[in-house]
Amino acid sequence: MASQRGQSPDRGSDASGPKQSSVSSHGRHRNSSSSICKDFLRKFVDNELLTSSLEDWFTGHSEDCGFKKPAFDVPFDLSELQNFDYAIEGVTFQQLVRMPNALHASTSDIFEATAHLALEDFLHASIKGLWETFWGPDESMPFSVACIHSTSSKFYPAEKAISSGKLDGVCATAVLLKNLKHSQGRWDHIVVLALLRPDIGMFSGQNDQQPSPAVLGEALFFALRVLLSRSLSRSSTILQNSDCVYVLLVDSQFGGVVNVQGDLNKLDFDLNNVYDCAAEWIKKHAQITVSSVDRVWNKLGNANWGDIGTLQVLLAIFHSMIQFCGAPKYSLDELATEHSSRLQSRRSERHLVGRQTNTNGLFRFQQQSHSPEIVEVQEEGAVNVKPKEILKLEVGSVVMMEDADWQKGFQINDILTDSEPPIYSATPVEEPTKTHLLYVGSSPSHLEPAWEDMNSWYQVQRQTKVLTLMKQRGISSRYIPQMVASGRVVHPGPCNKPNSSGSCGHPWCSTPILVTSPVGETISNLIRNGLFGVEDALRCCHDCLSALASASSAGIRHGDIRPENVIRVSNGSRHPYFVLIGWGHAILEDRDRPLMNLFFSSTFALQEGKLCAASDAESLIYLLYFCCGGVCPELDSVEGALQWRETSWSRRVIQQKLGDVSAVLKAFADYVDSICGTPYPMDYEIWLRRLRRTINEDHGKEIDTSS
């Protein structure tokens, strides 16, 4: 683009602040090394000289590379990009300034000015979308975007460069970490750097699809400048990231990513030979990865946010943001798993779920030579894609579980539920007097995540996350299960999985397991065996409400209250109690969606697809109604479920049924009915007091209030 792009600021990194006095030898050494680094940086100003020093290495005419062209790995493999694509599915990235198309540019000056404005807007849209998705919209974004001038070392928006006639001097565009003390920007505050250069896309059709030596040399030059500037920073966070930087290469249509990593302590700071020293460090001590050059913007100037080229750029920006801000609030893997639930919802919309003709919900399509039409193949010819098999354990068997530090064995005592996936009662081999609940997930698969068993994922992996979060937030209640252990199955025979999160191909390899306490019998089993009496309803209401109150204090809602998710714990005591289990579908934040159940979900959940403050309490009312012998209609649609709720509440069918058991249950049902769908919070404490008083008066049994 402009002729002065290759010239970097000649005033160094701006990291040179006032000198510090020190009497220690360590301090003198630090000041001395910093001074040499600053002097090195001041002389390291011409990218063409660095490229010239690397020319033989690039072309394979150097002994340093064995007379072969350097082969660069890619920074991201396809599976990483696909996982990232799933994580940002549905995120709105809005680039408002369109990237101009070179073929339709009116004049070169207008084209270049618009291209810089569009690049800045693209970077701003990228960091804004990523920040709000992974760190949350409530936190203020700590980044800004600005251009870098080649001679003044100043950072300012492209609009200012254009209006002041300094566009020709712009050498790069940077995402910067905001700093109130240095609002003008500094080189050590550069998070990621973008070089807007013409004809990057000319390499997209080549076999290796990588940039030319001239462009790559310039990218390495700027990468090393950023790393050197970071190494001079007084910020510990920036210093920790002085060994890795991403550089983006873009033109008006295409883009690529260069990543440079390396230990600057191995750089020879010879002030008389800065470019050869830098080239030597790049060739021998730097790890360089270069992505393919792929399309980023379409012909209208809109970014193709879901395509390979843009995903590579976004993922580089995402990793750069993590360098400066730490791990995001919502992990990439966590958000990627939501792709499966969205896909299941889409299949439900299209009525593909529950079809008997094809349990996988797949059709096989064939292109036949005599017809251009795509035809559906019948079931016997369907693609044989097997859902992941759940590891089935037999009573008496021992399953070994491991995490990073230990291995434990659990002997299976009983299968508590006949649902899929089952829940087991198990005893630790080393502690035979204890009994726990054991959940087994499905083994990792290389298939599309939509084929994963989402029920087992919610029951094991997600519930593990929720229980861990509860522990971190200090939630302790006897009516909420406690996580005893979590890990993965140790299968018999050798295991050669590539890494801790991979799988060796054995059907059991890396199968997740969750162990919780206490153990009890589900309400559904108690009712089936005639063991749930109406006197249990009051205690069940109190204990479940207490669990909901404890979770609500940390902003967590259950979202899946039903007979299979409440157990009665006896432990040989005269006064059994109830524990609310099955927290895998818990609602941790507004974007989480509850599991839909036509009979037990709240009215608000069925109508809006989310929970209100009283939704769990309303589900608890339906559970009590069911336990007390309430008539359960045949419900086959959301409309029918909503109609049943409206009729039952308006005719007071539910209140009257609970009133047959206790007046306080009837009053509680009226209270829940009055606040359902409203923004008013639940007053748990008043109803827990009334329930405790009623239980103590009616049955002479003390309620444990220690939790």
Side-chain angles (χ1 to χ4, degrees):
M1 297 241 170
S3 60
Q4 299 182 22
R5 295 294 186 270
Q7 298 299 318
S8 170
D10 56 7
R11 297 197 297 177
S13 72
D14 294 342
S16 61
K19 293 182 179 179
Q20 295 179 345
S21 62
S22 175
V23 296
S24 69
S25 61
H26 175 76
R28 286 194 298 271
H29 176 73
R30 165 67 179 165
N31 287 342
S32 175
S33 61
S34 297
S35 177
I36 294 174
C37 184
K38 290 174 187 175
D39 292 338
F40 187 96
L41 196 51
R42 288 191 184 101
K43 291 191 173 188
F44 188 63
V45 295
D46 193 331
N47 86 91
E48 292 182 0
L49 292 178
L50 176 65
T51 303
S52 178
S53 298
L54 292 170
E55 185 176 357
D56 289 343
W57 182 62
F58 282 137
T59 57
H61 296 132
S62 169
E63 191 176 334
D64 293 331
C65 59
F67 299 101
K68 295 180 180 179
K69 290 184 179 181
F72 300 116
D73 288 333
V74 294
F76 317 113
D77 59 35
L78 190 60
S79 61
E80 287 181 274
L81 292 171
Q82 186 181 50
N83 201 45
F84 184 64
D85 179 38
Y86 290 149
I88 62 174
E89 191 175 55
V91 177
T92 301
F93 295 97
Q94 191 173 30
Q95 179 182 347
L96 298 179
V97 181
R98 303 294 191 262
M99 181 63 76
N101 192 316
L103 296 176
H104 303 99
S106 55
T107 67
S108 60
D109 290 342
I110 295 176
F111 167 77
E112 187 172 358
T114 308
H116 278 284
L117 292 171
L119 177 58
E120 276 196 352
D121 198 49
F122 169 81
L123 292 174
H124 175 78
S126 298
I127 58 176
K128 182 176 184 291
L130 292 173
W131 180 261
E132 293 180 351
T133 300
F134 290 94
W135 281 268
D138 298 331
E139 300 289 336
S140 60
M141 186 175 67
F143 304 109
S144 61
V145 181
C147 291
I148 309 170
H149 199 271
S150 61
T151 56
S152 65
S153 184
K154 290 183 178 179
F155 297 78
Y156 35 67
E159 285 189 9
K160 185 175 180 180
I162 296 168
S163 62
S164 60
K166 296 180 179 180
L167 186 62
D168 283 346
V170 170
C171 62
T173 304
V175 173
L176 296 164
L177 186 68
K178 291 180 181 177
N179 189 303
L180 296 178
K181 295 182 179 179
H182 304 280
S183 58
Q184 297 301 317
R186 294 163 51 110
W187 271 76
D188 55 325
H189 293 158
I190 293 176
V191 178
V192 64
L193 201 66
L195 307 181
L196 180 60
R197 301 294 182 264
D199 301 327
I200 293 291
M202 68 182 293
F203 309 105
S204 63
Q206 299 180 2
N207 291 334
D208 57 4
Q209 290 186 303
Q210 291 181 344
S212 67
V215 173
L216 189 54
E218 190 176 6
L220 296 176
F221 168 79
F222 278 100
L224 185 53
R225 279 198 61 86
V226 173
L227 293 179
L228 288 168
S229 301
R230 290 181 185 176
S231 70
L232 294 170
S233 176
R234 295 178 181 177
S235 165
S236 59
T237 301
I238 296 176
L239 276 173
Q240 291 171 1
N241 294 295
S242 60
D243 61 352
C244 176
V245 65
Y246 287 91
V247 178
L248 313 178
L249 305 174
V250 297
D251 62 14
S252 62
Q253 296 182 69
F254 294 85
V257 175
V258 176
N259 176 237
V260 179
Q261 299 184 48
D263 184 359
L264 289 179
N265 292 319
K266 297 179 180 179
L267 173 61
D268 182 11
F269 291 94
D270 184 351
L271 300 181
N272 296 318
N273 203 8
V274 294
Y275 295 102
D276 286 342
C277 290
E280 196 70 10
W281 181 83
I282 288 171
K283 289 186 283 189
K284 293 186 176 180
H285 303 295
Q287 179 183 347
I288 302 166
T289 54
V290 183
S291 77
S292 60
V293 174
D294 284 281
R295 183 175 286 277
V296 175
W297 290 277
N298 61 27
K299 293 181 179 179
L300 292 176
N302 299 302
N304 299 321
W305 296 106
D307 211 348
I308 292 290
T310 317
L311 287 173
Q312 290 178 154
V313 172
L314 286 174
L315 191 51
I317 296 173
F318 174 66
H319 284 305
S320 301
M321 293 167 68
I322 291 178
Q323 282 185 297
F324 284 80
C325 294
K329 182 178 180 181
Y330 312 112
S331 72
L332 193 153
D333 288 337
E334 176 189 351
L335 295 182
T337 56
E338 295 183 2
H339 169 76
S340 299
S341 59
R342 287 191 292 264
L343 193 50
Q344 291 287 63
S345 298
R346 175 60 54 81
R347 294 178 64 213
S348 297
E349 290 174 10
R350 297 179 57 210
H351 307 291
L352 297 177
V353 177
R355 293 176 59 131
Q356 298 301 315
T357 56
N358 190 330
T359 57
N360 292 328
L362 268 190
F363 294 103
R364 180 184 180 184
F365 296 99
Q366 293 181 340
Q367 185 82 30
Q368 298 184 359
S369 58
H370 64 272
S371 172
E373 295 183 359
I374 298 175
V375 296
E376 178 184 334
V377 179
Q378 297 304 315
E379 173 62 20
E380 58 270 16
V383 175
N384 185 22
V385 181
K386 295 181 179 180
K388 294 191 298 182
E389 295 182 358
I390 304 297
L391 174 61
K392 299 295 179 64
L393 303 175
E394 297 180 355
V395 174
S397 63
V398 174
V399 58
M400 295 298 297
M401 181 178 71
E402 67 174 355
D403 75 353
D405 304 317
W406 49 259
Q407 286 190 3
K408 284 185 179 180
F410 292 89
Q411 184 172 14
I412 305 303
N413 301 326
D414 194 10
I415 302 175
L416 299 182
T417 65
D418 53 7
S419 60
E420 287 290 343
I423 304 175
Y424 302 92
S425 167
T427 297
V429 174
E430 298 177 355
E431 301 174 281
T433 59
K434 296 183 178 180
T435 306
H436 305 305
L437 290 182
L438 188 144
Y439 303 84
V440 179
S442 54
S443 60
S445 169
H446 299 294
L447 297 175
E448 156 77 28
W451 294 115
E452 296 181 6
D453 188 320
M454 292 307 297
N455 288 334
S456 68
W457 183 85
Y458 277 106
Q459 192 181 67
V460 181
Q461 288 100 314
R462 182 101 191 317
Q463 185 169 202
T464 299
K465 174 190 173 180
V466 174
L467 295 181
T468 301
L469 185 63
M470 286 183 174
K471 185 176 181 180
Q472 293 171 348
R473 295 183 180 178
I475 298 177
S476 178
S477 170
R478 73 183 305 214
Y479 309 116
I480 295 176
Q482 303 298 308
M483 187 170 69
V484 176
S486 67
R488 298 184 180 276
V489 169
V490 180
H491 63 76
C495 179
N496 57 354
K497 61 184 178 183
N499 51 58
S500 60
S501 61
S503 173
C504 71
H506 189 284
W508 297 1
C509 188
S510 294
T511 298
I513 293 182
L514 170 64
V515 181
T516 68
S517 178
V519 173
E521 191 166 4
T522 64
I523 283 184
S524 55
N525 283 346
L526 292 173
I527 293 174
R528 186 182 303 114
N529 298 323
L531 300 177
F532 189 94
V534 291
E535 66 276 4
D536 291 315
L538 274 170
R539 187 174 294 274
C540 177
C541 182
H542 170 275
D543 297 352
C544 289
L545 201 61
S546 181
L548 295 177
S550 299
S552 177
S553 66
I556 299 174
R557 295 170 184 164
H558 190 279
D560 187 23
I561 296 177
R562 50 192 171 90
E564 293 78 14
N565 280 338
V566 181
I567 59 173
R568 186 173 68 179
V569 181
S570 297
N571 291 339
S573 170
R574 291 175 39 236
H575 306 309
Y577 62 96
F578 293 86
V579 175
L580 186 57
I581 64 172
W583 289 84
H585 286 276
I587 306 302
L588 305 180
E589 51 188 304
D590 288 341
R591 62 186 180 85
D592 290 339
R593 292 294 176 260
L595 185 69
M596 292 295 108
N597 186 302
L598 294 179
F599 192 84
F600 295 104
S601 289
S602 69
T603 303
F604 194 77
L606 292 177
Q607 289 175 330
E608 305 294 334
K610 53 187 178 180
L611 302 187
C612 67
S615 286
D616 278 337
E618 184 182 346
S619 294
L620 179 58
I621 293 294
Y622 298 140
L623 173 71
L624 297 171
Y625 174 77
F626 170 75
C627 294
C628 296
V631 177
C632 300
E634 289 291 332
L635 301 175
D636 57 5
S637 67
V638 172
E639 292 78 9
L642 291 172
Q643 182 62 44
W644 173 77
R645 283 160 172 73
E646 181 181 357
T647 302
S648 299
W649 285 110
S650 61
R651 295 180 179 178
R652 302 187 58 77
V653 174
I654 295 173
Q655 297 93 317
Q656 290 173 7
K657 190 65 180 179
L658 295 181
D660 293 340
V661 177
S662 171
V664 71
L665 288 183
K666 181 180 180 181
F668 178 58
D670 278 326
Y671 168 73
V672 171
D673 183 36
S674 68
I675 65 170
C676 278
T678 72
Y680 301 115
M682 279 282 300
D683 189 344
Y684 289 101
E685 189 54 40
I686 187 173
W687 289 102
L688 288 172
R689 284 200 304 268
R690 291 180 181 180
L691 286 165
R692 280 196 293 268
R693 185 167 59 247
T694 302
I695 292 173
N696 293 336
E697 291 174 354
D698 292 356
H699 305 288
K701 299 176 182 179
E702 292 295 326
I703 292 291
D704 182 0
T705 60
S706 60
S707 63

